[in-house]
Amino acid sequence: MGDISDLLDLLPVYYSRLFPFAEYYRWLSYGNAATFGKREFSFTLSDDIYIRYQSFNNQKALSDEIKRLLPHKIDIGAVYNVQPKEQKRVPNFHPIERELVFDIDMTDYDEVRTCCKGADICNKCWKFMSLACKILDNALRLDFGYKHILWVFSGRRGIHCWVCDTTARSLSGQVRAAIAEYLQVIGGGEFMKKKVYLAGSKIHHSIKRALNIINPVFVEMCVKEQNMLGTEEGIQKFLSILPNEDDRREIKTLFNKESTSEARWNAFVAYIESKRPAGDRKWYLYRHMIEEIKLQYSYPRLDINVSKGLNHLLKSPFCVHPKTGKICIPFNVNAVDKFDPDKVPTIMTLMKEIDVYDVKDKAEQEKYELNTKRIKDYKKTSLNKSLHVFQEFLRHLEAERREQRLKGEISADTMEF
């Protein structure tokens, strides 16, 4: 992104011509205008001015205020018991509903990725995000039965997950914490070397399923591309995970005989396999060691505090990341391997795409004396694909709501179409 003034120049056009206010309202109202009116929005304006507890009665009120304030960032909060803008007048102001959300940030992988650090992200480390997305999506659908899951690129270095099923939105903080902890396999802070412990003789079915996703890509992604055992630093980090000093010495000797990360990994696997019950009385220390290491290097790293709290804010889909200019776009979980963070549209490229389209379209109309119907601006740009993903997600949400209404599970007066 260039100077922040670029953003200030482009935001009025983006919010007036491209931001999908109609679909946005359809999503966050869930067929009920009162629900939308009690939703918290927060805006970050230029000069880091931060405004919380904004709320709006309808789509027009929201779009008018966004076009007036031109926020650099929009965050979405919970649905409260009263309109958030009235919160100072109400003694018992509290959240009553919220999507179950997950936030995965690339910086949490800094101890296992070698291609980039900090805010940087490339196609190699996107593979960690891709795995996280698949593992979580599977667990949420198969272990908890959720269907309406929206995946969004954060605009810079991470992904957000919004679980929007009715049952997920009404969960208590306690149940959210239990779900988040169930999905958190990697534990301990930066000083804990071994971060994954698989207790018992059998591996839990959810972990097995995650390993089935990890196994086909682990050697290519972590051992080769991230060169996990290719440097002295990488080897020391790896050895510190092992349970005792004797193993560390033996494996270090094995590693010294090999010259590549892959050869060292194969030597380690052979060493652990040799410890099977017939060969070693301490096999219980090693029975899940290979799986534990694979999980430590590649399982999703969640910020579970985001998922636990009902009142936690999360960046909105379709807002513009102020540092990169990239749009926070929804993407299809089934196409996550093909997602390229470098090709995410920026606010600058979108403006150019509209201009190029309009010039070409005007020339064609003049040449052939046409008077064609004006098409929506987003269809002229690379935002079209992401909006299609969002619209598909909404269609499924609304189809289920219609079905519930026909069955009498929700009353007709809460519905808006």
Side-chain angles (χ1 to χ4, degrees):
M1 182 80 191
D3 192 86
I4 202 73
S5 61
D6 294 348
L7 192 61
L8 284 173
D9 291 341
L10 298 171
L11 279 173
V13 187
Y14 177 72
Y15 285 133
S16 63
R17 295 184 69 175
L18 288 173
F19 193 91
F21 287 108
E23 289 87 348
Y24 199 70
Y25 177 79
R26 275 167 60 197
W27 171 36
L28 294 173
S29 62
Y30 293 100
N32 186 343
T35 297
F36 185 80
K38 292 175 183 174
R39 168 79 66 173
E40 180 193 358
F41 294 89
S42 87
F43 300 143
T44 306
L45 312 183
S46 54
D47 302 323
D48 282 335
I49 296 164
Y50 184 57
I51 325 172
R52 272 199 79 169
Y53 302 117
Q54 303 297 292
S55 56
F56 307 94
N57 288 330
N58 51 47
Q59 179 191 321
K60 186 177 184 305
L62 172 74
S63 66
D64 285 353
E65 189 67 347
I66 285 178
K67 287 171 190 174
R68 184 181 77 84
L69 291 174
L70 303 176
H72 289 186
K73 184 170 170 244
I74 302 167
D75 286 296
I76 301 173
V79 176
Y80 284 81
N81 57 327
V82 295
Q83 290 200 340
K85 61 187 175 189
E86 304 291 330
Q87 46 107 11
K88 287 184 178 166
R89 302 180 197 177
V90 181
N92 185 29
F93 177 66
H94 64 274
I96 54 169
E97 186 180 297
R98 173 79 165 110
E99 294 79 9
L100 175 62
V101 293
F102 297 92
D103 182 8
I104 307 167
D105 195 310
M106 202 68 247
T107 50
D108 293 327
Y109 289 79
D110 279 356
E111 66 174 13
V112 293
R113 63 173 176 156
T114 56
C115 51
C116 303
K117 281 279 182 277
D120 294 330
I121 186 167
C122 70
N123 284 322
K124 282 183 184 176
C125 52
W126 175 258
K127 290 180 182 179
F128 288 107
M129 294 287 108
S130 179
L131 267 186
C133 183
K134 287 184 216 172
I135 289 167
L136 271 186
D137 196 80
N138 265 287
L140 290 165
R141 290 178 195 279
L142 299 173
D143 295 340
F144 297 98
Y146 295 132
K147 295 176 192 168
H148 305 291
I149 302 171
L150 182 68
W151 287 97
V152 181
F153 175 61
S154 72
R156 191 177 197 185
R157 57 171 186 246
I159 52 178
H160 298 153
C161 172
W162 300 77
V163 186
C164 302
D165 299 60
T166 309
T167 49
R169 299 198 316 268
S170 56
L171 294 172
S172 68
Q174 206 174 356
V175 177
R176 285 166 199 266
I179 291 173
E181 276 152 22
Y182 170 87
L183 294 167
Q184 189 183 42
V185 170
I186 295 171
E190 60 180 302
F191 300 111
M192 190 182 280
K193 305 300 180 194
K194 189 169 191 287
K195 290 178 161 44
V196 179
Y197 290 89
L198 300 178
S201 58
K202 289 188 177 176
I203 296 175
H204 189 274
H205 69 87
S206 187
I207 303 291
K208 266 190 183 169
R209 194 174 52 235
L211 284 164
N212 286 339
I213 298 169
I214 291 165
N215 286 336
V217 297
F218 181 77
V219 170
E220 189 62 36
M221 180 179 110
C222 295
V223 180
K224 291 186 187 175
E225 284 187 356
Q226 296 297 335
N227 202 24
M228 176 175 127
L229 298 171
T231 63
E232 194 54 40
E233 186 192 354
I235 289 169
Q236 289 310 319
K237 205 176 274 183
F238 182 88
L239 293 175
S240 68
I241 299 169
L242 303 180
N244 61 59
E245 191 54 46
D246 290 344
D247 290 323
R248 287 195 277 274
R249 267 198 304 272
E250 278 189 61
I251 290 169
K252 182 75 165 79
T253 304
L254 286 174
F255 283 179
N256 288 341
K257 294 175 187 173
E258 306 294 349
S259 59
T260 68
S261 182
E262 187 179 12
R264 286 168 184 157
W265 171 254
N266 291 337
F268 167 74
V269 171
Y271 175 85
I272 296 298
E273 293 292 346
S274 74
K275 298 279 183 184
R276 287 210 174 275
D280 198 305
R281 282 177 301 165
K282 291 184 178 175
W283 171 244
Y284 69 91
L285 287 172
Y286 308 96
R287 65 186 165 198
H288 302 315
M289 177 63 70
I290 293 166
E291 289 83 358
E292 286 168 342
I293 284 173
K294 284 180 176 179
L295 292 165
Q296 179 155 338
Y297 277 84
S298 59
Y299 189 85
R301 293 174 173 241
L302 305 173
D303 179 352
I304 64 169
N305 292 322
V306 173
S307 309
K308 285 178 174 183
L310 263 87
N311 57 354
H312 199 96
L313 294 159
L314 191 62
K315 190 191 295 169
S316 167
F318 296 104
C319 76
V320 183
H321 195 290
K323 295 269 193 324
T324 62
K326 289 179 182 174
I327 312 299
C328 303
I329 54 169
F331 61 87
N332 187 332
V333 65
N334 298 319
V336 65
D337 287 334
K338 294 176 187 163
F339 188 94
D340 184 347
D342 288 334
K343 290 184 179 165
V344 170
T346 67
I347 189 169
M348 295 80 80
T349 59
L350 292 174
M351 296 304 123
K352 283 176 192 160
E353 285 168 359
I354 288 181
D355 289 344
V356 167
Y357 185 97
D358 286 349
V359 168
K360 188 180 170 189
D361 188 52
K362 189 181 177 191
E364 281 192 3
Q365 291 209 34
E366 286 172 357
K367 184 178 177 182
Y368 298 108
E369 297 181 357
L370 300 170
N371 189 14
T372 53
K373 189 178 165 189
R374 186 174 175 270
I375 75 157
K376 290 181 177 173
D377 283 324
Y378 74 82
K379 289 188 175 177
K380 303 170 184 176
T381 72
S382 46
L383 200 60
N384 191 14
K385 197 171 163 186
S386 309
L387 255 160
H388 182 71
V389 170
F390 191 46
Q391 287 159 346
E392 273 295 292
F393 160 78
L394 289 175
R395 270 197 284 277
H396 291 300
L397 255 185
E398 290 167 351
E400 184 176 82
R401 220 165 32 237
R402 277 192 293 275
E403 207 176 295
Q404 288 173 335
R405 184 175 157 202
L406 289 169
K407 288 179 183 171
E409 290 172 23
I410 51 178
S411 60
D413 61 354
T414 67
M415 302 294 292
E416 269 196 354
F417 288 106

